[in-house]
Amino acid sequence: PVGVAVDNSTDGSTGDVYVADSGNRRIEKFSSSGVPLGSFGTSGGGEIGGLKGGNSVFVDPSGGNVWVADAGNIRAVEYEPSGNYIAQITGFSENAFGLTVDSIGDVYVVNGAHRVEEFGPALGLAPIRVLENPGPNHPRAVVTNPVGEVFVGNGGAEGVPYQILQFDSGVAATTPTRTFGLESIAGSTGITIDSTSGTFFAVDGPNSDVEAFDLVTLADVETGPSSNVKGTTATVEGTLDPEGVETQYFFEYGTDETYGLKSAEETSSAATSQSVTASLTGLAPETTYDYRLVAVNANGTSRGLNAEFKTGPAVAEVVTLVPPAEVGITTARLNGQLNPEGTETFYTFQYGETREYGAISGFEASSANTLIQITALITELHPGTEYHYRILTFNEHGETVGEDKAFTTLPEVATVDDQSPFATGVSLHEATLHGTVNPGNGVTTYHFDYGPTPAYGTSTPEAYTQLNYEDDSGEQLITGLQPGTVYHYRLVATNLSGTTTGPDETFTTLDGTPPTVETGAATQISPGSATITGVVDPAGESANYEFEVGTTESYGTQLFGSISSPEEVTVGLSGLLPETVYHYRLVASSAAGTVRGADRTFTTPGYPATILQPATPALLPIPVFPKEGPIRLTCKKGFVKKGNKCVKKRHKPVRKKKHKKK
């Protein structure tokens, strides 16, 4: 016997053993316990003729079919597990020494013509690729691993050193990517791989032993492009896959492919591919450089392909940093970075309220050959103002300007109550607080603190002032107050420069009872008119009342009146639309508060058929006032009369005088 194979498929013959019995020109089949199950390959002639010295046997793991390298007939033959002939591969120029089948069913046959040929059953056993065998070496065995890599036992002839050739998967991989076993194995006719551990085994006949090889992992590297190439600096890139093994990597570089220089070493143990970069400095201006990525681990060194770049003239490289440090009300410290590229370089910061700049911080000089930090303190700025700035440099090679950046100075500290604060609209439960805020040309918010003691306890929501240097009037309504109570309040303003608190002020809510109202029924309803009623009790005060009327609960029409004692009030309506629903309610107001009655409705009927409706009827109120005259208006502090209404008194802002600096 010269060959053996075990059925590792999931078919019915799993575990059966096939032996290539070369002397008897047949394949013997046994159970896993050694019971003979018959033989095949001896009978017949022509295409399905008997075997002539089967050198190798292999069971296809995907289907259980048996492949035999029939050396005497210079062919590879496929059989069913029962021994029935299926197909054959012919056309080799010399003996078929060995074969194997990979996980997808492709057949690899060791050809006596110093090569291994791959055939695809999916293509009718047509040839797919030829794995070239460099030199006068003689392949004797072939095996694949689960990821499709192919290993060929190469050599063994007199004077020819034996080694294992490894090929990548894919039809384009026709030359070996690596070799191993040289000088370890004197010759072999059998190789295999443990698919679980990855250990590789080779029969070493001349040395009467079996050699075992462990897999080792080298990092995968790929040299990438260069970027940011300056006069004396450049950034080089690459891709590294350490394969989970601790790996040191760096870039070799120099003015030719002997390199001579290298970047700082970095370490990675990542299990996936990653981008790596290195910043190269101290380069010669206007010079071509070669470079490549190199990775080293405990198993060896990987080198990427060579690439190149050319440096430019040594003009300065600048980086404007933002935001500036220490921005104040009238000052700011500007920061940046500069690489003079080893040439004496003068630099300054340009700044101003527009991109025209208009001012500089003063020139300084440096001849460094690395990135340095630069800074400048600028003063006499305007508060709350946006400024643009950038770096300007020049040397013997030319001028460089940095990117435009911007910052905003802090505003002046806000001031409050340049005019005395006051409260208006004070009633039983509410009041409107007033004050003035000068925002100092910055974004400023304000609110009122208020409460029954100087500890306050309650604040109004934050509101914004205008963005200027002027005194802005602020007012906020507060509600939910207790009647007849003294309240303390103050105005508070905040911007980026701090918080300012105004003086404590007070007001007293009214001590009284608001009126009561009841919306009454609608009477005398016709297609174009109606009378609505209600009852008002002013609670001992003088009160104004009004009927709100409209076709929705938004109303729209207001009918006014006034009373000083409880009584029923009515209003006649005319100019109504026929067949229309009208909403109405009674509202009463006094110094003690405002009360609204319930919403009620009525529906006008339609006109008789002989009466034409007006084209565009108008709603004309006909108010019915009490016999006494209207209530005289008395406006409270902070309000003035305008017609029959009280309106808020407006304070004219006082513009601050600007003092010239001596």
Side-chain angles (χ1 to χ4, degrees), residues 289-300:
Y289 281 84
D290 293 274
Y291 68 97
R292 67 181 177 184
L293 178 60
V294 180
V296 181
N297 65 19
N299 300 317

PDB file of all heavy atoms in Angstrom, residues 289-300:
ATOM      1  N   TYR A 289      12.241  62.023  -1.917  1.00  0.00           N
ATOM      2  CA  TYR A 289      12.479  61.033  -0.875  1.00  0.00           C
ATOM      3  C   TYR A 289      11.740  59.735  -1.199  1.00  0.00           C
ATOM      4  O   TYR A 289      10.605  59.763  -1.680  1.00  0.00           O
ATOM      5  CB  TYR A 289      12.006  61.544   0.494  1.00  0.00           C
ATOM      6  CG  TYR A 289      12.965  62.512   1.139  1.00  0.00           C
ATOM      7  CD1 TYR A 289      12.939  63.863   0.812  1.00  0.00           C
ATOM      8  CD2 TYR A 289      13.914  62.071   2.062  1.00  0.00           C
ATOM      9  CE1 TYR A 289      13.838  64.751   1.396  1.00  0.00           C
ATOM     10  CE2 TYR A 289      14.804  62.946   2.653  1.00  0.00           C
ATOM     11  CZ  TYR A 289      14.768  64.284   2.320  1.00  0.00           C
ATOM     12  OH  TYR A 289      15.654  65.160   2.897  1.00  0.00           O
ATOM     13  N   ASP A 290      12.419  58.602  -0.921  1.00  0.00           N
ATOM     14  CA  ASP A 290      11.796  57.281  -0.984  1.00  0.00           C
ATOM     15  C   ASP A 290      11.392  56.876   0.433  1.00  0.00           C
ATOM     16  O   ASP A 290      12.089  57.214   1.404  1.00  0.00           O
ATOM     17  CB  ASP A 290      12.769  56.245  -1.557  1.00  0.00           C
ATOM     18  CG  ASP A 290      13.081  56.498  -3.015  1.00  0.00           C
ATOM     19  OD1 ASP A 290      12.315  56.033  -3.870  1.00  0.00           O
ATOM     20  OD2 ASP A 290      14.084  57.198  -3.293  1.00  0.00           O
ATOM     21  N   TYR A 291      10.296  56.106   0.554  1.00  0.00           N
ATOM     22  CA  TYR A 291       9.870  55.642   1.874  1.00  0.00           C
ATOM     23  C   TYR A 291       9.045  54.372   1.730  1.00  0.00           C
ATOM     24  O   TYR A 291       8.511  54.062   0.656  1.00  0.00           O
ATOM     25  CB  TYR A 291       9.055  56.709   2.605  1.00  0.00           C
ATOM     26  CG  TYR A 291       7.692  56.996   1.990  1.00  0.00           C
ATOM     27  CD1 TYR A 291       6.543  56.391   2.495  1.00  0.00           C
ATOM     28  CD2 TYR A 291       7.545  57.854   0.905  1.00  0.00           C
ATOM     29  CE1 TYR A 291       5.293  56.647   1.944  1.00  0.00           C
ATOM     30  CE2 TYR A 291       6.308  58.107   0.343  1.00  0.00           C
ATOM     31  CZ  TYR A 291       5.182  57.510   0.861  1.00  0.00           C
ATOM     32  OH  TYR A 291       3.948  57.756   0.312  1.00  0.00           O
ATOM     33  N   ARG A 292       8.949  53.616   2.819  1.00  0.00           N
ATOM     34  CA  ARG A 292       8.097  52.426   2.865  1.00  0.00           C
ATOM     35  C   ARG A 292       7.779  52.112   4.318  1.00  0.00           C
ATOM     36  O   ARG A 292       8.503  52.498   5.240  1.00  0.00           O
ATOM     37  CB  ARG A 292       8.768  51.230   2.199  1.00  0.00           C
ATOM     38  CG  ARG A 292       9.999  50.714   2.925  1.00  0.00           C
ATOM     39  CD  ARG A 292      10.633  49.546   2.185  1.00  0.00           C
ATOM     40  NE  ARG A 292      11.870  49.082   2.833  1.00  0.00           N
ATOM     41  CZ  ARG A 292      12.649  48.122   2.335  1.00  0.00           C
ATOM     42  NH1 ARG A 292      12.328  47.529   1.180  1.00  0.00           N
ATOM     43  NH2 ARG A 292      13.750  47.745   2.980  1.00  0.00           N
ATOM     44  N   LEU A 293       6.668  51.386   4.534  1.00  0.00           N
ATOM     45  CA  LEU A 293       6.240  50.962   5.858  1.00  0.00           C
ATOM     46  C   LEU A 293       6.873  49.613   6.187  1.00  0.00           C
ATOM     47  O   LEU A 293       6.876  48.698   5.358  1.00  0.00           O
ATOM     48  CB  LEU A 293       4.713  50.847   5.918  1.00  0.00           C
ATOM     49  CG  LEU A 293       4.090  50.355   7.237  1.00  0.00           C
ATOM     50  CD1 LEU A 293       4.449  51.277   8.399  1.00  0.00           C
ATOM     51  CD2 LEU A 293       2.572  50.247   7.096  1.00  0.00           C
ATOM     52  N   VAL A 294       7.410  49.489   7.420  1.00  0.00           N
ATOM     53  CA  VAL A 294       8.068  48.261   7.864  1.00  0.00           C
ATOM     54  C   VAL A 294       7.428  47.826   9.183  1.00  0.00           C
ATOM     55  O   VAL A 294       7.177  48.662  10.061  1.00  0.00           O
ATOM     56  CB  VAL A 294       9.579  48.474   8.066  1.00  0.00           C
ATOM     57  CG1 VAL A 294      10.250  47.178   8.524  1.00  0.00           C
ATOM     58  CG2 VAL A 294      10.223  48.985   6.785  1.00  0.00           C
ATOM     59  N   ALA A 295       7.155  46.511   9.326  1.00  0.00           N
ATOM     60  CA  ALA A 295       6.591  45.968  10.562  1.00  0.00           C
ATOM     61  C   ALA A 295       7.402  44.755  10.989  1.00  0.00           C
ATOM     62  O   ALA A 295       7.774  43.920  10.153  1.00  0.00           O
ATOM     63  CB  ALA A 295       5.130  45.587  10.365  1.00  0.00           C
ATOM     64  N   VAL A 296       7.667  44.668  12.298  1.00  0.00           N
ATOM     65  CA  VAL A 296       8.486  43.579  12.830  1.00  0.00           C
ATOM     66  C   VAL A 296       7.754  42.940  14.012  1.00  0.00           C
ATOM     67  O   VAL A 296       7.311  43.647  14.929  1.00  0.00           O
ATOM     68  CB  VAL A 296       9.866  44.099  13.299  1.00  0.00           C
ATOM     69  CG1 VAL A 296      10.712  42.943  13.816  1.00  0.00           C
ATOM     70  CG2 VAL A 296      10.583  44.832  12.174  1.00  0.00           C
ATOM     71  N   ASN A 297       7.614  41.592  13.976  1.00  0.00           N
ATOM     72  CA  ASN A 297       7.131  40.880  15.153  1.00  0.00           C
ATOM     73  C   ASN A 297       8.076  39.727  15.456  1.00  0.00           C
ATOM     74  O   ASN A 297       9.138  39.589  14.822  1.00  0.00           O
ATOM     75  CB  ASN A 297       5.684  40.417  14.982  1.00  0.00           C
ATOM     76  CG  ASN A 297       5.509  39.374  13.887  1.00  0.00           C
ATOM     77  OD1 ASN A 297       6.457  38.709  13.466  1.00  0.00           O
ATOM     78  ND2 ASN A 297       4.279  39.215  13.414  1.00  0.00           N
ATOM     79  N   ALA A 298       7.734  38.888  16.405  1.00  0.00           N
ATOM     80  CA  ALA A 298       8.643  37.820  16.828  1.00  0.00           C
ATOM     81  C   ALA A 298       8.906  36.806  15.730  1.00  0.00           C
ATOM     82  O   ALA A 298       9.882  36.055  15.789  1.00  0.00           O
ATOM     83  CB  ALA A 298       8.060  37.118  18.059  1.00  0.00           C
ATOM     84  N   ASN A 299       8.066  36.787  14.691  1.00  0.00           N
ATOM     85  CA  ASN A 299       8.205  35.804  13.624  1.00  0.00           C
ATOM     86  C   ASN A 299       8.977  36.313  12.419  1.00  0.00           C
ATOM     87  O   ASN A 299       9.322  35.535  11.540  1.00  0.00           O
ATOM     88  CB  ASN A 299       6.824  35.338  13.166  1.00  0.00           C
ATOM     89  CG  ASN A 299       6.036  34.704  14.291  1.00  0.00           C
ATOM     90  OD1 ASN A 299       6.575  33.925  15.062  1.00  0.00           O
ATOM     91  ND2 ASN A 299       4.764  35.058  14.400  1.00  0.00           N
ATOM     92  N   GLY A 300       9.193  37.620  12.343  1.00  0.00           N
ATOM     93  CA  GLY A 300       9.919  38.139  11.194  1.00  0.00           C
ATOM     94  C   GLY A 300       9.526  39.557  10.847  1.00  0.00           C
ATOM     95  O   GLY A 300       8.825  40.244  11.603  1.00  0.00           O
TER      96      GLY A 300
END
